[in-house]
Amino acid sequence: MRMDEIGLAESLATAGLDYVGMVATTATYAPPTLVTFARAGGGGEFVCAEEVAYDDPQRVAKLNAAWMRMCTDAGLFDNSHRFLVGVKIEESDDEDPVWWWAEVALMDSWDLAGAGAATGVLGTGAG
């Protein structure tokens, strides 16, 4: 099944992300799945982490604040608060899903750790 861009845009908007569009598959970016493996592999000096207790009643707000701090410190955003997120562009029962980059812009009001994760596009459940 091919990705539904309207559904993707709606799910991202729930998280407070404005869907700008898909990055051309001819772009010379590493695929999101490869970036995930590189990030998980360790070995480098750069470590960016914060801890929030699972039972903290302010967990979602603290996770969102931590995400913003880490992204700002790492220079993730351009001047328009645009950045890339990995999204599934194709899925079937017979093969692993295919992921690629979508360009998004952070809206004035956003909630990646709560509403965004609950949509399934940015995670597997709120908080």
Side-chain angles (χ1 to χ4, degrees), residues 7 11 13 23 34 63 73 77 79 83-84 102 111 120 127:
S11 292
V23 173
L34 179 60
L63 288 169
D73 291 349
F77 305 120
N79 293 338
F83 59 101
L84 303 178
D111 177 14

Side-chain angles (χ1 to χ4, degrees), residues 39-72:
R39 178 189 52 79
E45 294 288 324
F46 181 74
V47 174
C48 187
E50 292 197 30
E51 186 174 315
V52 177
Y54 185 78
D55 60 350
D56 188 326
Q58 296 297 313
R59 180 181 55 180
V60 170
K62 288 180 179 181
L63 288 169
N64 281 327
W67 178 85
M68 178 57 89
R69 274 191 303 278
M70 289 186 283
C71 291
T72 301

Side-chain angles (χ1 to χ4, degrees), residues 7 18 24 87 90:
D18 184 27
V87 297
E90 198 168 329

Side-chain angles (χ1 to χ4, degrees), residues 63-103:
L63 288 169
N64 281 327
W67 178 85
M68 178 57 89
R69 274 191 303 278
M70 289 186 283
C71 291
T72 301
D73 291 349
L76 175 70
F77 305 120
D78 69 7
N79 293 338
S80 305
H81 280 102
R82 288 185 177 192
F83 59 101
L84 303 178
V85 294
V87 297
K88 285 184 206 173
I89 61 170
E90 198 168 329
E91 194 169 21
S92 76
D93 292 334
D94 301 333
E95 298 179 22
D96 290 336
V98 177
W99 292 73
W100 194 242
W101 298 110
E103 184 177 5

